[in-house]
Amino acid sequence: MRSLQRTIASPGDASLVRDSSLVWLASGIVGVSFGAVSVAGGLPVWVPVLMSLVVYAGSAQFSAVGVLIAGGGPAAAAATGLLLNTRTAAFSLAVAEILGPGRTARFLGAHLVTDETVAFALAQPDPVRRRRAFWISGLGLFAVWNIGVLAGAMAGRALGDTARYGLDAAFPAVLVALVLPSVRADAVVRRCAVAGGALALAVTPAVPAGVPVLVALAGLFLYRRRSLEAGS
């Protein structure tokens, strides 16, 4: 636990907090939307709040709640969330070495693995800064997301139709901002991203929601192939 505290409290944290703040803001806004949509759909306040603490996966939570509101059972909702969250297995492998030593760090870190936190951590220039970035971004995102969900759930029906505020566009916009520097800087990454996106778009009309995201990961095989060719 002490090593984890030293990892989080290090020089240079102010710049990481500043750089993470936009992601936190977007997370809080979408969290409000999630809480409000859940309660407006007929679910009790404790459902989105508890789900955000225990599951902590924005897209999976939206999908699971959508299934419940549409009349589906808990098993169908859980299966939908698990399908969407299978992508985090690849993310976990990518950050396994930067979580820090000890079971406590790995256990807590696994719960904080999200698209945004992993992207922010891996964008840092060295291993030490990647570790600090992961924990600062991850803990801040977890706190803001849950505060937003609670606020939205308490507001309930007062917000009305949350779609008219454009809240659903906040997270995609932030993700684009996070990955754009890597896509611009590396032609191989750019080609892999285009290939993965094209595959996802091609299968979207024929597969359930969430599956196209998994199909897009096929672009990683192209990246691995190009890397092996470059090293030979």
PDB file of all heavy atoms in Angstrom, residues 18-60:
ATOM      1  N   ARG A  18      -3.869  18.364 -14.659  1.00  0.00           N
ATOM      2  CA  ARG A  18      -4.363  19.333 -15.639  1.00  0.00           C
ATOM      3  C   ARG A  18      -4.738  18.646 -16.949  1.00  0.00           C
ATOM      4  O   ARG A  18      -5.794  18.918 -17.530  1.00  0.00           O
ATOM      5  CB  ARG A  18      -3.280  20.381 -15.899  1.00  0.00           C
ATOM      6  CG  ARG A  18      -3.687  21.480 -16.887  1.00  0.00           C
ATOM      7  CD  ARG A  18      -2.472  22.229 -17.367  1.00  0.00           C
ATOM      8  NE  ARG A  18      -1.564  21.348 -18.097  1.00  0.00           N
ATOM      9  CZ  ARG A  18      -0.235  21.378 -17.985  1.00  0.00           C
ATOM     10  NH1 ARG A  18       0.343  22.229 -17.155  1.00  0.00           N
ATOM     11  NH2 ARG A  18       0.514  20.548 -18.687  1.00  0.00           N
ATOM     12  N   ASP A  19      -3.882  17.744 -17.415  1.00  0.00           N
ATOM     13  CA  ASP A  19      -4.146  17.071 -18.685  1.00  0.00           C
ATOM     14  C   ASP A  19      -5.327  16.104 -18.584  1.00  0.00           C
ATOM     15  O   ASP A  19      -5.998  15.827 -19.577  1.00  0.00           O
ATOM     16  CB  ASP A  19      -2.900  16.311 -19.142  1.00  0.00           C
ATOM     17  CG  ASP A  19      -1.747  17.236 -19.478  1.00  0.00           C
ATOM     18  OD1 ASP A  19      -2.007  18.438 -19.698  1.00  0.00           O
ATOM     19  OD2 ASP A  19      -0.594  16.772 -19.513  1.00  0.00           O
ATOM     20  N   SER A  20      -5.570  15.574 -17.377  1.00  0.00           N
ATOM     21  CA  SER A  20      -6.678  14.629 -17.190  1.00  0.00           C
ATOM     22  C   SER A  20      -8.018  15.317 -17.001  1.00  0.00           C
ATOM     23  O   SER A  20      -9.070  14.677 -17.122  1.00  0.00           O
ATOM     24  CB  SER A  20      -6.417  13.747 -15.957  1.00  0.00           C
ATOM     25  OG  SER A  20      -5.233  13.006 -16.080  1.00  0.00           O
ATOM     26  N   SER A  21      -7.990  16.604 -16.703  1.00  0.00           N
ATOM     27  CA  SER A  21      -9.212  17.292 -16.281  1.00  0.00           C
ATOM     28  C   SER A  21     -10.299  17.277 -17.352  1.00  0.00           C
ATOM     29  O   SER A  21     -11.493  17.183 -17.032  1.00  0.00           O
ATOM     30  CB  SER A  21      -8.883  18.730 -15.877  1.00  0.00           C
ATOM     31  OG  SER A  21      -8.299  19.437 -16.975  1.00  0.00           O
ATOM     32  N   LEU A  22      -9.913  17.353 -18.631  1.00  0.00           N
ATOM     33  CA  LEU A  22     -10.916  17.339 -19.691  1.00  0.00           C
ATOM     34  C   LEU A  22     -11.644  16.000 -19.726  1.00  0.00           C
ATOM     35  O   LEU A  22     -12.875  15.949 -19.900  1.00  0.00           O
ATOM     36  CB  LEU A  22     -10.265  17.625 -21.045  1.00  0.00           C
ATOM     37  CG  LEU A  22     -11.197  17.603 -22.262  1.00  0.00           C
ATOM     38  CD1 LEU A  22     -12.273  18.667 -22.118  1.00  0.00           C
ATOM     39  CD2 LEU A  22     -10.404  17.803 -23.550  1.00  0.00           C
ATOM     40  N   VAL A  23     -10.883  14.912 -19.540  1.00  0.00           N
ATOM     41  CA  VAL A  23     -11.494  13.584 -19.513  1.00  0.00           C
ATOM     42  C   VAL A  23     -12.416  13.457 -18.312  1.00  0.00           C
ATOM     43  O   VAL A  23     -13.512  12.892 -18.401  1.00  0.00           O
ATOM     44  CB  VAL A  23     -10.414  12.490 -19.488  1.00  0.00           C
ATOM     45  CG1 VAL A  23     -11.036  11.102 -19.512  1.00  0.00           C
ATOM     46  CG2 VAL A  23      -9.455  12.659 -20.651  1.00  0.00           C
ATOM     47  N   TRP A  24     -11.982  13.971 -17.174  1.00  0.00           N
ATOM     48  CA  TRP A  24     -12.836  13.923 -15.982  1.00  0.00           C
ATOM     49  C   TRP A  24     -14.136  14.702 -16.198  1.00  0.00           C
ATOM     50  O   TRP A  24     -15.203  14.244 -15.782  1.00  0.00           O
ATOM     51  CB  TRP A  24     -12.083  14.507 -14.782  1.00  0.00           C
ATOM     52  CG  TRP A  24     -10.884  13.719 -14.362  1.00  0.00           C
ATOM     53  CD1 TRP A  24     -10.560  12.445 -14.752  1.00  0.00           C
ATOM     54  CD2 TRP A  24      -9.845  14.149 -13.487  1.00  0.00           C
ATOM     55  NE1 TRP A  24      -9.383  12.065 -14.175  1.00  0.00           N
ATOM     56  CE2 TRP A  24      -8.917  13.084 -13.387  1.00  0.00           C
ATOM     57  CE3 TRP A  24      -9.598  15.319 -12.778  1.00  0.00           C
ATOM     58  CZ2 TRP A  24      -7.763  13.170 -12.605  1.00  0.00           C
ATOM     59  CZ3 TRP A  24      -8.457  15.402 -11.991  1.00  0.00           C
ATOM     60  CH2 TRP A  24      -7.556  14.336 -11.900  1.00  0.00           C
ATOM     61  N   LEU A  25     -14.022  15.862 -16.816  1.00  0.00           N
ATOM     62  CA  LEU A  25     -15.220  16.667 -17.078  1.00  0.00           C
ATOM     63  C   LEU A  25     -16.200  15.903 -17.957  1.00  0.00           C
ATOM     64  O   LEU A  25     -17.404  15.848 -17.665  1.00  0.00           O
ATOM     65  CB  LEU A  25     -14.824  17.983 -17.743  1.00  0.00           C
ATOM     66  CG  LEU A  25     -15.971  18.897 -18.167  1.00  0.00           C
ATOM     67  CD1 LEU A  25     -16.788  19.327 -16.957  1.00  0.00           C
ATOM     68  CD2 LEU A  25     -15.430  20.126 -18.914  1.00  0.00           C
ATOM     69  N   ALA A  26     -15.686  15.303 -19.032  1.00  0.00           N
ATOM     70  CA  ALA A  26     -16.557  14.529 -19.914  1.00  0.00           C
ATOM     71  C   ALA A  26     -17.170  13.352 -19.178  1.00  0.00           C
ATOM     72  O   ALA A  26     -18.348  13.023 -19.356  1.00  0.00           O
ATOM     73  CB  ALA A  26     -15.763  14.038 -21.128  1.00  0.00           C
ATOM     74  N   SER A  27     -16.378  12.701 -18.328  1.00  0.00           N
ATOM     75  CA  SER A  27     -16.884  11.561 -17.562  1.00  0.00           C
ATOM     76  C   SER A  27     -18.022  11.973 -16.646  1.00  0.00           C
ATOM     77  O   SER A  27     -19.040  11.279 -16.540  1.00  0.00           O
ATOM     78  CB  SER A  27     -15.744  10.954 -16.734  1.00  0.00           C
ATOM     79  OG  SER A  27     -16.214   9.916 -15.901  1.00  0.00           O
ATOM     80  N   GLY A  28     -17.852  13.113 -15.974  1.00  0.00           N
ATOM     81  CA  GLY A  28     -18.908  13.578 -15.082  1.00  0.00           C
ATOM     82  C   GLY A  28     -20.191  13.894 -15.828  1.00  0.00           C
ATOM     83  O   GLY A  28     -21.289  13.557 -15.371  1.00  0.00           O
ATOM     84  N   ILE A  29     -20.064  14.518 -17.006  1.00  0.00           N
ATOM     85  CA  ILE A  29     -21.248  14.859 -17.804  1.00  0.00           C
ATOM     86  C   ILE A  29     -21.981  13.598 -18.256  1.00  0.00           C
ATOM     87  O   ILE A  29     -23.207  13.492 -18.140  1.00  0.00           O
ATOM     88  CB  ILE A  29     -20.840  15.706 -19.021  1.00  0.00           C
ATOM     89  CG1 ILE A  29     -20.330  17.073 -18.568  1.00  0.00           C
ATOM     90  CG2 ILE A  29     -22.016  15.882 -19.979  1.00  0.00           C
ATOM     91  CD1 ILE A  29     -19.741  17.908 -19.676  1.00  0.00           C
ATOM     92  N   VAL A  30     -21.217  12.634 -18.761  1.00  0.00           N
ATOM     93  CA  VAL A  30     -21.846  11.397 -19.221  1.00  0.00           C
ATOM     94  C   VAL A  30     -22.394  10.606 -18.038  1.00  0.00           C
ATOM     95  O   VAL A  30     -23.419   9.929 -18.144  1.00  0.00           O
ATOM     96  CB  VAL A  30     -20.849  10.557 -20.045  1.00  0.00           C
ATOM     97  CG1 VAL A  30     -21.495   9.262 -20.520  1.00  0.00           C
ATOM     98  CG2 VAL A  30     -20.357  11.349 -21.244  1.00  0.00           C
ATOM     99  N   GLY A  31     -21.715  10.686 -16.889  1.00  0.00           N
ATOM    100  CA  GLY A  31     -22.224  10.029 -15.686  1.00  0.00           C
ATOM    101  C   GLY A  31     -23.586  10.576 -15.275  1.00  0.00           C
ATOM    102  O   GLY A  31     -24.492   9.819 -14.903  1.00  0.00           O
ATOM    103  N   VAL A  32     -23.733  11.897 -15.346  1.00  0.00           N
ATOM    104  CA  VAL A  32     -25.038  12.510 -15.069  1.00  0.00           C
ATOM    105  C   VAL A  32     -26.086  11.969 -16.035  1.00  0.00           C
ATOM    106  O   VAL A  32     -27.212  11.641 -15.647  1.00  0.00           O
ATOM    107  CB  VAL A  32     -24.938  14.046 -15.170  1.00  0.00           C
ATOM    108  CG1 VAL A  32     -26.327  14.682 -15.123  1.00  0.00           C
ATOM    109  CG2 VAL A  32     -24.077  14.600 -14.040  1.00  0.00           C
ATOM    110  N   SER A  33     -25.717  11.885 -17.298  1.00  0.00           N
ATOM    111  CA  SER A  33     -26.640  11.358 -18.300  1.00  0.00           C
ATOM    112  C   SER A  33     -27.045   9.926 -17.986  1.00  0.00           C
ATOM    113  O   SER A  33     -28.222   9.567 -18.049  1.00  0.00           O
ATOM    114  CB  SER A  33     -25.987  11.428 -19.688  1.00  0.00           C
ATOM    115  OG  SER A  33     -26.803  10.813 -20.659  1.00  0.00           O
ATOM    116  N   PHE A  34     -26.060   9.100 -17.619  1.00  0.00           N
ATOM    117  CA  PHE A  34     -26.357   7.700 -17.311  1.00  0.00           C
ATOM    118  C   PHE A  34     -27.312   7.583 -16.116  1.00  0.00           C
ATOM    119  O   PHE A  34     -28.286   6.820 -16.152  1.00  0.00           O
ATOM    120  CB  PHE A  34     -25.075   6.935 -17.033  1.00  0.00           C
ATOM    121  CG  PHE A  34     -25.299   5.542 -16.522  1.00  0.00           C
ATOM    122  CD1 PHE A  34     -25.762   4.549 -17.363  1.00  0.00           C
ATOM    123  CD2 PHE A  34     -25.060   5.230 -15.188  1.00  0.00           C
ATOM    124  CE1 PHE A  34     -25.982   3.257 -16.892  1.00  0.00           C
ATOM    125  CE2 PHE A  34     -25.269   3.947 -14.710  1.00  0.00           C
ATOM    126  CZ  PHE A  34     -25.742   2.956 -15.560  1.00  0.00           C
ATOM    127  N   GLY A  35     -27.009   8.318 -15.056  1.00  0.00           N
ATOM    128  CA  GLY A  35     -27.881   8.257 -13.884  1.00  0.00           C
ATOM    129  C   GLY A  35     -29.287   8.719 -14.191  1.00  0.00           C
ATOM    130  O   GLY A  35     -30.275   8.095 -13.771  1.00  0.00           O
ATOM    131  N   ALA A  36     -29.400   9.807 -14.954  1.00  0.00           N
ATOM    132  CA  ALA A  36     -30.722  10.347 -15.288  1.00  0.00           C
ATOM    133  C   ALA A  36     -31.490   9.411 -16.211  1.00  0.00           C
ATOM    134  O   ALA A  36     -32.694   9.185 -16.019  1.00  0.00           O
ATOM    135  CB  ALA A  36     -30.563  11.720 -15.942  1.00  0.00           C
ATOM    136  N   VAL A  37     -30.809   8.853 -17.224  1.00  0.00           N
ATOM    137  CA  VAL A  37     -31.471   7.941 -18.156  1.00  0.00           C
ATOM    138  C   VAL A  37     -31.974   6.700 -17.422  1.00  0.00           C
ATOM    139  O   VAL A  37     -33.082   6.204 -17.676  1.00  0.00           O
ATOM    140  CB  VAL A  37     -30.503   7.544 -19.291  1.00  0.00           C
ATOM    141  CG1 VAL A  37     -31.043   6.360 -20.073  1.00  0.00           C
ATOM    142  CG2 VAL A  37     -30.268   8.718 -20.218  1.00  0.00           C
ATOM    143  N   SER A  38     -31.171   6.193 -16.498  1.00  0.00           N
ATOM    144  CA  SER A  38     -31.556   4.991 -15.760  1.00  0.00           C
ATOM    145  C   SER A  38     -32.810   5.209 -14.927  1.00  0.00           C
ATOM    146  O   SER A  38     -33.762   4.416 -14.973  1.00  0.00           O
ATOM    147  CB  SER A  38     -30.400   4.548 -14.849  1.00  0.00           C
ATOM    148  OG  SER A  38     -29.236   4.287 -15.595  1.00  0.00           O
ATOM    149  N   VAL A  39     -32.834   6.314 -14.176  1.00  0.00           N
ATOM    150  CA  VAL A  39     -33.977   6.590 -13.308  1.00  0.00           C
ATOM    151  C   VAL A  39     -35.197   6.987 -14.132  1.00  0.00           C
ATOM    152  O   VAL A  39     -36.326   6.574 -13.839  1.00  0.00           O
ATOM    153  CB  VAL A  39     -33.604   7.688 -12.291  1.00  0.00           C
ATOM    154  CG1 VAL A  39     -34.835   8.099 -11.474  1.00  0.00           C
ATOM    155  CG2 VAL A  39     -32.495   7.203 -11.369  1.00  0.00           C
ATOM    156  N   ALA A  40     -34.975   7.767 -15.191  1.00  0.00           N
ATOM    157  CA  ALA A  40     -36.097   8.150 -16.049  1.00  0.00           C
ATOM    158  C   ALA A  40     -36.711   6.944 -16.732  1.00  0.00           C
ATOM    159  O   ALA A  40     -37.899   6.939 -17.069  1.00  0.00           O
ATOM    160  CB  ALA A  40     -35.628   9.160 -17.103  1.00  0.00           C
ATOM    161  N   GLY A  41     -35.915   5.886 -16.930  1.00  0.00           N
ATOM    162  CA  GLY A  41     -36.427   4.665 -17.546  1.00  0.00           C
ATOM    163  C   GLY A  41     -37.170   3.759 -16.593  1.00  0.00           C
ATOM    164  O   GLY A  41     -37.669   2.701 -16.999  1.00  0.00           O
ATOM    165  N   GLY A  42     -37.221   4.130 -15.317  1.00  0.00           N
ATOM    166  CA  GLY A  42     -37.991   3.355 -14.356  1.00  0.00           C
ATOM    167  C   GLY A  42     -37.180   2.581 -13.344  1.00  0.00           C
ATOM    168  O   GLY A  42     -37.748   1.886 -12.488  1.00  0.00           O
ATOM    169  N   LEU A  43     -35.855   2.664 -13.394  1.00  0.00           N
ATOM    170  CA  LEU A  43     -35.027   1.933 -12.435  1.00  0.00           C
ATOM    171  C   LEU A  43     -34.887   2.733 -11.143  1.00  0.00           C
ATOM    172  O   LEU A  43     -34.865   3.966 -11.169  1.00  0.00           O
ATOM    173  CB  LEU A  43     -33.641   1.666 -13.021  1.00  0.00           C
ATOM    174  CG  LEU A  43     -33.589   0.783 -14.264  1.00  0.00           C
ATOM    175  CD1 LEU A  43     -32.151   0.662 -14.756  1.00  0.00           C
ATOM    176  CD2 LEU A  43     -34.165  -0.601 -13.976  1.00  0.00           C
ATOM    177  N   PRO A  44     -34.786   2.069 -10.007  1.00  0.00           N
ATOM    178  CA  PRO A  44     -34.568   2.799  -8.747  1.00  0.00           C
ATOM    179  C   PRO A  44     -33.186   3.437  -8.715  1.00  0.00           C
ATOM    180  O   PRO A  44     -32.265   3.000  -9.412  1.00  0.00           O
ATOM    181  CB  PRO A  44     -34.707   1.704  -7.677  1.00  0.00           C
ATOM    182  CG  PRO A  44     -34.458   0.421  -8.389  1.00  0.00           C
ATOM    183  CD  PRO A  44     -34.934   0.615  -9.797  1.00  0.00           C
ATOM    184  N   VAL A  45     -33.021   4.448  -7.889  1.00  0.00           N
ATOM    185  CA  VAL A  45     -31.774   5.210  -7.838  1.00  0.00           C
ATOM    186  C   VAL A  45     -30.576   4.324  -7.515  1.00  0.00           C
ATOM    187  O   VAL A  45     -29.478   4.504  -8.060  1.00  0.00           O
ATOM    188  CB  VAL A  45     -31.898   6.350  -6.800  1.00  0.00           C
ATOM    189  CG1 VAL A  45     -30.546   6.999  -6.550  1.00  0.00           C
ATOM    190  CG2 VAL A  45     -32.903   7.388  -7.267  1.00  0.00           C
ATOM    191  N   TRP A  46     -30.762   3.326  -6.652  1.00  0.00           N
ATOM    192  CA  TRP A  46     -29.614   2.527  -6.205  1.00  0.00           C
ATOM    193  C   TRP A  46     -29.018   1.672  -7.320  1.00  0.00           C
ATOM    194  O   TRP A  46     -27.842   1.302  -7.259  1.00  0.00           O
ATOM    195  CB  TRP A  46     -30.010   1.638  -5.019  1.00  0.00           C
ATOM    196  CG  TRP A  46     -31.023   0.561  -5.326  1.00  0.00           C
ATOM    197  CD1 TRP A  46     -32.377   0.649  -5.177  1.00  0.00           C
ATOM    198  CD2 TRP A  46     -30.739  -0.742  -5.842  1.00  0.00           C
ATOM    199  NE1 TRP A  46     -32.968  -0.523  -5.559  1.00  0.00           N
ATOM    200  CE2 TRP A  46     -31.990  -1.403  -5.961  1.00  0.00           C
ATOM    201  CE3 TRP A  46     -29.580  -1.423  -6.184  1.00  0.00           C
ATOM    202  CZ2 TRP A  46     -32.090  -2.713  -6.439  1.00  0.00           C
ATOM    203  CZ3 TRP A  46     -29.674  -2.731  -6.649  1.00  0.00           C
ATOM    204  CH2 TRP A  46     -30.913  -3.354  -6.774  1.00  0.00           C
ATOM    205  N   VAL A  47     -29.778   1.369  -8.365  1.00  0.00           N
ATOM    206  CA  VAL A  47     -29.264   0.500  -9.431  1.00  0.00           C
ATOM    207  C   VAL A  47     -28.108   1.152 -10.196  1.00  0.00           C
ATOM    208  O   VAL A  47     -27.014   0.575 -10.277  1.00  0.00           O
ATOM    209  CB  VAL A  47     -30.401   0.081 -10.389  1.00  0.00           C
ATOM    210  CG1 VAL A  47     -29.819  -0.636 -11.613  1.00  0.00           C
ATOM    211  CG2 VAL A  47     -31.381  -0.834  -9.676  1.00  0.00           C
ATOM    212  N   PRO A  48     -28.273   2.357 -10.777  1.00  0.00           N
ATOM    213  CA  PRO A  48     -27.125   2.957 -11.462  1.00  0.00           C
ATOM    214  C   PRO A  48     -25.977   3.309 -10.527  1.00  0.00           C
ATOM    215  O   PRO A  48     -24.812   3.238 -10.918  1.00  0.00           O
ATOM    216  CB  PRO A  48     -27.716   4.215 -12.117  1.00  0.00           C
ATOM    217  CG  PRO A  48     -28.935   4.527 -11.329  1.00  0.00           C
ATOM    218  CD  PRO A  48     -29.480   3.200 -10.902  1.00  0.00           C
ATOM    219  N   VAL A  49     -26.297   3.685  -9.289  1.00  0.00           N
ATOM    220  CA  VAL A  49     -25.249   4.050  -8.336  1.00  0.00           C
ATOM    221  C   VAL A  49     -24.394   2.838  -7.984  1.00  0.00           C
ATOM    222  O   VAL A  49     -23.159   2.878  -8.029  1.00  0.00           O
ATOM    223  CB  VAL A  49     -25.863   4.677  -7.071  1.00  0.00           C
ATOM    224  CG1 VAL A  49     -24.797   4.880  -6.000  1.00  0.00           C
ATOM    225  CG2 VAL A  49     -26.536   6.000  -7.400  1.00  0.00           C
ATOM    226  N   LEU A  50     -25.046   1.725  -7.632  1.00  0.00           N
ATOM    227  CA  LEU A  50     -24.310   0.515  -7.277  1.00  0.00           C
ATOM    228  C   LEU A  50     -23.565  -0.052  -8.485  1.00  0.00           C
ATOM    229  O   LEU A  50     -22.417  -0.504  -8.373  1.00  0.00           O
ATOM    230  CB  LEU A  50     -25.271  -0.533  -6.711  1.00  0.00           C
ATOM    231  CG  LEU A  50     -24.631  -1.855  -6.249  1.00  0.00           C
ATOM    232  CD1 LEU A  50     -23.644  -1.597  -5.117  1.00  0.00           C
ATOM    233  CD2 LEU A  50     -25.708  -2.842  -5.805  1.00  0.00           C
ATOM    234  N   MET A  51     -24.194  -0.011  -9.643  1.00  0.00           N
ATOM    235  CA  MET A  51     -23.554  -0.511 -10.857  1.00  0.00           C
ATOM    236  C   MET A  51     -22.283   0.274 -11.164  1.00  0.00           C
ATOM    237  O   MET A  51     -21.264  -0.294 -11.574  1.00  0.00           O
ATOM    238  CB  MET A  51     -24.521  -0.421 -12.036  1.00  0.00           C
ATOM    239  CG  MET A  51     -23.984  -1.033 -13.321  1.00  0.00           C
ATOM    240  SD  MET A  51     -25.108  -0.820 -14.725  1.00  0.00           S
ATOM    241  CE  MET A  51     -26.486  -1.839 -14.206  1.00  0.00           C
ATOM    242  N   SER A  52     -22.312   1.583 -10.941  1.00  0.00           N
ATOM    243  CA  SER A  52     -21.153   2.417 -11.235  1.00  0.00           C
ATOM    244  C   SER A  52     -20.002   2.134 -10.283  1.00  0.00           C
ATOM    245  O   SER A  52     -18.831   2.235 -10.665  1.00  0.00           O
ATOM    246  CB  SER A  52     -21.529   3.894 -11.162  1.00  0.00           C
ATOM    247  OG  SER A  52     -22.464   4.206 -12.173  1.00  0.00           O
ATOM    248  N   LEU A  53     -20.307   1.789  -9.051  1.00  0.00           N
ATOM    249  CA  LEU A  53     -19.261   1.471  -8.081  1.00  0.00           C
ATOM    250  C   LEU A  53     -18.655   0.089  -8.329  1.00  0.00           C
ATOM    251  O   LEU A  53     -17.439  -0.095  -8.241  1.00  0.00           O
ATOM    252  CB  LEU A  53     -19.828   1.524  -6.660  1.00  0.00           C
ATOM    253  CG  LEU A  53     -20.163   2.914  -6.103  1.00  0.00           C
ATOM    254  CD1 LEU A  53     -20.941   2.787  -4.804  1.00  0.00           C
ATOM    255  CD2 LEU A  53     -18.884   3.728  -5.887  1.00  0.00           C
ATOM    256  N   VAL A  54     -19.503  -0.878  -8.652  1.00  0.00           N
ATOM    257  CA  VAL A  54     -19.061  -2.269  -8.740  1.00  0.00           C
ATOM    258  C   VAL A  54     -18.597  -2.638 -10.142  1.00  0.00           C
ATOM    259  O   VAL A  54     -17.557  -3.282 -10.327  1.00  0.00           O
ATOM    260  CB  VAL A  54     -20.189  -3.214  -8.278  1.00  0.00           C
ATOM    261  CG1 VAL A  54     -19.768  -4.673  -8.441  1.00  0.00           C
ATOM    262  CG2 VAL A  54     -20.551  -2.931  -6.835  1.00  0.00           C
ATOM    263  N   VAL A  55     -19.363  -2.226 -11.160  1.00  0.00           N
ATOM    264  CA  VAL A  55     -19.034  -2.576 -12.545  1.00  0.00           C
ATOM    265  C   VAL A  55     -18.050  -1.569 -13.115  1.00  0.00           C
ATOM    266  O   VAL A  55     -17.019  -1.933 -13.683  1.00  0.00           O
ATOM    267  CB  VAL A  55     -20.309  -2.642 -13.406  1.00  0.00           C
ATOM    268  CG1 VAL A  55     -19.955  -2.967 -14.851  1.00  0.00           C
ATOM    269  CG2 VAL A  55     -21.260  -3.687 -12.847  1.00  0.00           C
ATOM    270  N   TYR A  56     -18.374  -0.296 -13.013  1.00  0.00           N
ATOM    271  CA  TYR A  56     -17.534   0.801 -13.479  1.00  0.00           C
ATOM    272  C   TYR A  56     -17.072   0.593 -14.920  1.00  0.00           C
ATOM    273  O   TYR A  56     -15.900   0.364 -15.211  1.00  0.00           O
ATOM    274  CB  TYR A  56     -16.331   0.976 -12.561  1.00  0.00           C
ATOM    275  CG  TYR A  56     -15.452   2.149 -12.955  1.00  0.00           C
ATOM    276  CD1 TYR A  56     -15.998   3.412 -13.127  1.00  0.00           C
ATOM    277  CD2 TYR A  56     -14.092   1.985 -13.156  1.00  0.00           C
ATOM    278  CE1 TYR A  56     -15.200   4.487 -13.496  1.00  0.00           C
ATOM    279  CE2 TYR A  56     -13.281   3.056 -13.526  1.00  0.00           C
ATOM    280  CZ  TYR A  56     -13.841   4.302 -13.692  1.00  0.00           C
ATOM    281  OH  TYR A  56     -13.058   5.366 -14.062  1.00  0.00           O
ATOM    282  N   ALA A  57     -18.018   0.647 -15.829  1.00  0.00           N
ATOM    283  CA  ALA A  57     -17.728   0.506 -17.264  1.00  0.00           C
ATOM    284  C   ALA A  57     -18.828   1.223 -18.020  1.00  0.00           C
ATOM    285  O   ALA A  57     -19.925   0.683 -18.190  1.00  0.00           O
ATOM    286  CB  ALA A  57     -17.666  -0.960 -17.659  1.00  0.00           C
ATOM    287  N   GLY A  58     -18.541   2.438 -18.470  1.00  0.00           N
ATOM    288  CA  GLY A  58     -19.581   3.304 -19.032  1.00  0.00           C
ATOM    289  C   GLY A  58     -20.396   2.680 -20.132  1.00  0.00           C
ATOM    290  O   GLY A  58     -21.629   2.592 -20.043  1.00  0.00           O
ATOM    291  N   SER A  59     -19.748   2.201 -21.209  1.00  0.00           N
ATOM    292  CA  SER A  59     -20.507   1.652 -22.331  1.00  0.00           C
ATOM    293  C   SER A  59     -21.265   0.403 -21.929  1.00  0.00           C
ATOM    294  O   SER A  59     -22.414   0.193 -22.342  1.00  0.00           O
ATOM    295  CB  SER A  59     -19.561   1.343 -23.495  1.00  0.00           C
ATOM    296  OG  SER A  59     -18.559   0.416 -23.102  1.00  0.00           O
ATOM    297  N   ALA A  60     -20.650  -0.447 -21.110  1.00  0.00           N
ATOM    298  CA  ALA A  60     -21.323  -1.661 -20.651  1.00  0.00           C
ATOM    299  C   ALA A  60     -22.514  -1.318 -19.769  1.00  0.00           C
ATOM    300  O   ALA A  60     -23.561  -1.973 -19.828  1.00  0.00           O
ATOM    301  CB  ALA A  60     -20.335  -2.557 -19.899  1.00  0.00           C
TER     302      ALA A  60
END
